[in-house]
Structures are given as structure tokens and as C-alpha cells.
């Protein structure tokens, strides 16, 4: 058996802690990415079921200039926009939860840096045999319920109540094997390598993600948002692959969806930005991931002075690509048609 790689060794060591975060770019190059991957674990954390951001800002104020890792629930929208939800919460998830690392490691351009702690804590564990497991996912609503919701969305689009809507449905999975959850995460990364993959654990609750999309990033006084609307598959045939990318680039339908979200993000950021500082740096750009081509636009803004992190959330969360446009109208309609509370799904991790 082979010795575990560094990330696997870190995750093996992290089993003794309440909180773990691994954010991995899967070696997909990006001009704005800071790290190849970053890992943290620790026991000191805070969480809240309350969607009011006041407590969250107090927590942040108490830990200025410290590393924090955590997750934001989509349901924070209830405190931000005053919306309510009667949908079922199938998972007991906090509105936000962040922890302070007791071990912190990152890789930048292939060079590993130990920011907190050192490699002495690691053992020479060996790679266990990969268990073969077939996961069976079941939709939480029936096909007829799904089609009824789609018909209602189409009617609302025709009436102009919304211009674009992100409608979600939840799938449940039954598994008899006790396969380690990190093995499932690895399978997901193998099937769909992405530039913003995440493994995040809060005690017994685990989030795994292979998201290609950056919600928001702050560099000094600059805010950067990179919404995605428009996806097409890759092909092993180079000629077909290039044709697919061009098809996506010139798709009228995808361009219309993309520019609506760009306008939404511009409007969101303008609430906290200096006058005339919101700029669309890239429109309809095509980024090629291992499995798909994506249509990505990039919006930058210069922040006003004295803008807190929760001010940024109040102006821009949830991300428009996961709501639709206009944002509040789309979220209200989604609440009516969906049958579950999204929780961490459609939220953000970082």
C-alpha cells in the first residue's frame, strides 16, 4: 500500500478536531487564485442559527487579523432581505459557522507553507483500499411535482414577474456502507475537478463541493465577483472541443442569461462601491475546466471606506447566479415552488 499524500495525511490527522476545511483548486490555473490548496482544522468555532448578521459581525470584530474558515447558509437571505421560508429543513444547519485554525497549511505554486503548526503532527499512514460503493440518489419531489413547478416558472417568465430563476430540488441518498466521507469527496473531484472545490466539516456535518464559481473575493479595497451562466461539455476530440467552446461563446440564450446576472451583480456592488468604480472587466469569457467549458464574467468594484464584511453580504448575498433576476422576486418565487430549505447549498464556503 502507498503512503498517503500530504492532503490525505492532514485529513487523517484532522479526525480528532471538530472543524476541518480543505479548499482545493485542483491545479486549475486562474489569474486571481491565491493558492493551489489550503487546509485548516481546529476546535475553536462559533455558529448561529440566527440569520441576523449582527452577531456574525461581532464575532469577526473579536477576531480581526486572524484566519477564519467557515460557511454561510443560503438562508441568511431571511435576515438580509427580510424574507421568510415555510419550507422543510431536512438538515439541522447553522446560518453561519466559522472556526479558528490550530493547524494551517497551504500550497502556493507547488510550495507547501506551514502557517500554524508543523509537519511533526503527521504520521506515515498508508492508503487504504478504495471501497466500491454505488450511491443511489432519490429526488425529494416527484416528476409530476417537478414538471408542475417548471410550468409555473414558465408562466411567471411570460408575465415578466421574473426574467431568470434558479430552481433547485433536493436529492436524498441511502448508503449501507460506512465509506469515509473524504473518499466520496475524492470521487467527486475525480468525476468533476473544479477550481473551487471544498471539503468542510463541522463535527458530524460535512459539506463537499466541486463548485467552479467564485462568489466574491476582496483584495485590499477591491471586490471581485465572477458569476457563471453558461456551460457546455468538453470533448476528448480537440476539434469538437473547440467547436463546443465557440458554440457556448456565441450562444444567444447563454449570453442573455449571463448579462442579466452581470447587471444584477453590478447593482449589488454599487451599494457599497465608490461612485463610477463598478466595472465589468470581462464579459462572456470562456473558461475551460477538465470536464466543461464555462461562460464567466468578471466584475470589479472599489469599496467605500468603513465597509464591513457583513455590509458586503447585505449588498450581494446570496449570489445572483443562484437566485435569478430580479433577485428578491426570484427568491420569493423559488421559495413558493421549492420544497426544502437550501441551507448550505447555494450559500458560500471559504
Amino acid at each position: 500500500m502507498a503512503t498517503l499524500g500530504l492532503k490525505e495525511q492532514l485529513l487523517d490527522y484532522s479526525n480528532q478536531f471538530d472543524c476541518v476545511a480543505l479548499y482545493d483548486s485542483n491545479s486549475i490555473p486562474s489569474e486571481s487564485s491565491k493558492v493551489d490548496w489550503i487546509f485548516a482544522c481546529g476546535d475553536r468555532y462559533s455558529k448561529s442559527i440566527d440569520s441576523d448578521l449582527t452577531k456574525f459581525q461581532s464575532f469577526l470584530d473579536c477576531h480581526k487579523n486572524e484566519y477564519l474558515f467557515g460557511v454561510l447558509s443560503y438562508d441568511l437571505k431571511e435576515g438580509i432581505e427580510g424574507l421568510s421560508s415555510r419550507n422543510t429543513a431536512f438538515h439541522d444547519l447553522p446560518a453561519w459557522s466559522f472556526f479558528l485554525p490550530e493547524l494551517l497549511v497551504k500550497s502556493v505554486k507547488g510550495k507547501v507553507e506551514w502557517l500554524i503548526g508543523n509537519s511533526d503532527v503527521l504520521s506515515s499512514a498508508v492508503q487504504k483500499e478504495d471501497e466500491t460503493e454505488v450511491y443511489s440518489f432519490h429526488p425529494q419531489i416527484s416528476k409530476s411535482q417537478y414538471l408542475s413547478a417548471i410550468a409555473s416558472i414558465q408562466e411567471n417568465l411570460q408575465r415578466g414577474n421574473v426574467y431568470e430563476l434558479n430552481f433547485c430540488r433536493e436529492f436524498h441518498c441511502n448508503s449501507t456502507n460506512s465509506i469515509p466521507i473524504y473518499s466520496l469527496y475524492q470521487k467527486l473531484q475525480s468525476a468533476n475537478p473544479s477550481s473551487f472545490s471544498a471539503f468542510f466539516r463541522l463535527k458530524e456535518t460535512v459539506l463537499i463541493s466541486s463548485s467552479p464559481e467564485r462568489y466574491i473575493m476582496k483584495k485590499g479595497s477591491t471586490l471581485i465577483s465572477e458569476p457563471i451562466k453558461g456551460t457546455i461539455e468538453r470533448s476528448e476530440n480537440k476539434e469538437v472541443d473547440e467547436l463546443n467552446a465557440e458554440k457556448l461563446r456565441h450562444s444567444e440564450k447563454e449570453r442573455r442569461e449571463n448579462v442579466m446576472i452581470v447587471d444584477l451583480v453590478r447593482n449589488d456592488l454599487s451599494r457599497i462601491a465608490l461612485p463610477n468604480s463598478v466595472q465589468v472587466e470581462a464579459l462572456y469569457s470562456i473558461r475551460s475546466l477538465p470536464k466543461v467549458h464555462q461562460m464567466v464574467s468578471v466584475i470589479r468594484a472599489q469599496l467605500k471606506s468603513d465597509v464591513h464584511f457583513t455590509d458586503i453580504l447585505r449588498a450581494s448575498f446570496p449570489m445572483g447566479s443562484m437566485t435569478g433576476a430580479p433577485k428578491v422576486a426570484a427568491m420569493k418565487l423559488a421559495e413558493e415552488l421549492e420544497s426544502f430549505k437550501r441551507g448550505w447549498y447555494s450559500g458560500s464556503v471559504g
Side-chain angles (χ1 to χ4, degrees):
M1 292 186 180
T3 302
L4 290 175
L6 178 56
K7 284 181 281 188
E8 288 79 11
Q9 289 182 57
L10 289 166
L11 282 158
D12 185 61
Y13 169 74
S14 72
N15 286 331
Q16 62 189 291
F17 293 94
D18 286 341
C19 304
V20 183
L22 170 63
Y23 306 144
D24 197 340
S25 70
N26 284 297
S27 301
I28 298 170
S30 171
E31 292 180 8
S32 54
S33 286
K34 298 178 180 179
V35 298
D36 308 325
W37 55 265
I38 189 165
F39 171 91
C41 59
D43 286 328
R44 296 181 297 155
Y45 69 94
S46 185
K47 65 177 182 177
S48 177
I49 60 171
D50 192 342
S51 59
D52 183 350
L53 293 174
T54 305
K55 184 179 177 181
F56 184 33
Q57 186 60 56
S58 296
F59 170 74
L60 297 175
D61 291 341
C62 289
H63 299 287
K64 287 183 177 180
N65 302 317
E66 294 186 78
Y67 288 98
L68 296 171
F69 291 76
V71 63
L72 303 171
S73 168
Y74 173 79
D75 298 313
L76 279 173
K77 71 183 186 345
E78 296 175 15
I80 293 172
E81 298 292 354
L83 303 177
S84 60
S85 174
R86 297 180 180 178
N87 291 341
T88 302
F90 290 97
H91 310 282
D92 184 19
L93 301 172
W96 61 266
S97 179
F98 277 74
F99 74 91
L100 288 82
E102 296 171 46
L103 182 71
L104 178 58
V105 189
K106 71 176 180 178
S107 172
V108 180
K109 296 181 179 179
K111 181 182 178 182
V112 174
E113 299 179 32
W114 295 80
L115 303 177
I116 301 175
N118 57 60
S119 60
D120 293 345
V121 300
L122 302 182
S123 62
S124 55
V126 295
Q127 183 79 50
K128 300 180 178 69
E129 287 188 26
D130 188 23
E131 297 182 53
T132 301
E133 170 69 300
V134 177
Y135 292 90
S136 179
F137 290 90
H138 307 283
Q140 189 262 324
I141 59 172
S142 67
K143 182 177 180 180
S144 62
Q145 289 172 310
Y146 174 76
L147 293 176
S148 176
I150 295 300
S152 180
I153 292 168
Q154 291 172 330
E155 183 179 350
N156 276 275
L157 289 168
Q158 289 290 341
R159 290 180 176 179
N161 296 331
V162 292
Y163 307 120
E164 187 172 2
L165 183 78
N166 191 308
F167 173 70
C168 301
R169 56 178 175 157
E170 186 168 74
F171 286 75
H172 293 175
C173 172
N174 295 321
S175 174
T176 54
N177 283 6
S178 58
I179 183 170
I181 194 68
Y182 183 66
S183 295
L184 180 59
Y185 169 76
Q186 288 179 307
K187 290 176 184 292
L188 179 63
Q189 299 317 304
S190 176
N192 183 41
S194 70
S195 43
F196 296 103
S197 75
F199 177 94
F200 180 84
R201 177 170 63 78
L202 173 63
K203 290 195 170 181
E204 300 301 317
T205 304
V206 179
L207 178 152
I208 62 174
S209 171
S210 63
S211 173
E213 183 172 11
R214 169 180 278 125
Y215 154 49
I216 208 154
M217 178 173 68
K218 182 175 178 289
K219 281 187 172 182
S221 61
T222 302
L223 272 189
I224 303 167
S225 183
E226 300 179 358
I228 292 175
K229 279 295 178 186
T231 305
I232 197 168
E233 66 183 350
R234 300 290 307 266
S235 173
E236 293 182 2
N237 182 301
K238 183 178 179 181
E239 184 176 339
V240 173
D241 191 55
E242 291 174 353
L243 286 172
N244 281 353
E246 286 304 299
K247 181 180 179 181
L248 176 60
R249 189 188 312 276
H250 298 290
S251 168
E252 183 179 0
K253 178 255 186 190
E254 303 294 5
R255 281 176 169 244
R256 286 183 175 183
E257 285 196 36
N258 192 285
V259 79
M260 279 192 280
I261 297 305
V262 167
D263 283 342
L264 185 154
V265 172
R266 288 172 61 207
N267 179 69
D268 283 352
L269 298 189
S270 68
R271 302 176 188 178
I272 49 175
L274 292 171
N276 304 314
S277 72
V278 180
Q279 303 292 330
V280 179
E281 184 177 90
L283 186 64
Y284 311 140
S285 65
I286 303 300
R287 291 185 186 171
S288 299
L289 303 180
K291 299 293 184 179
V292 293
H293 299 292
Q294 306 263 207
M295 182 180 285
V296 186
S297 292
V298 181
I299 304 99
R300 287 178 180 259
Q302 295 301 313
L303 283 173
K304 296 175 183 176
S305 60
D306 300 323
V307 171
H308 299 290
F309 182 67
T310 50
D311 296 327
I312 297 171
L313 295 183
R314 288 187 179 95
S316 63
F317 190 84
M319 66 189 80
S321 59
M322 292 306 298
T323 62
K327 181 184 279 189
V328 174
M331 287 193 290
K332 286 181 178 178
L333 182 58
E335 283 292 338
E336 292 176 16
L337 298 175
E338 293 176 1
S339 58
F340 70 105
K341 296 189 76 167
R342 294 189 190 179
W344 289 356
Y345 178 73
S346 298
S348 191
V349 64

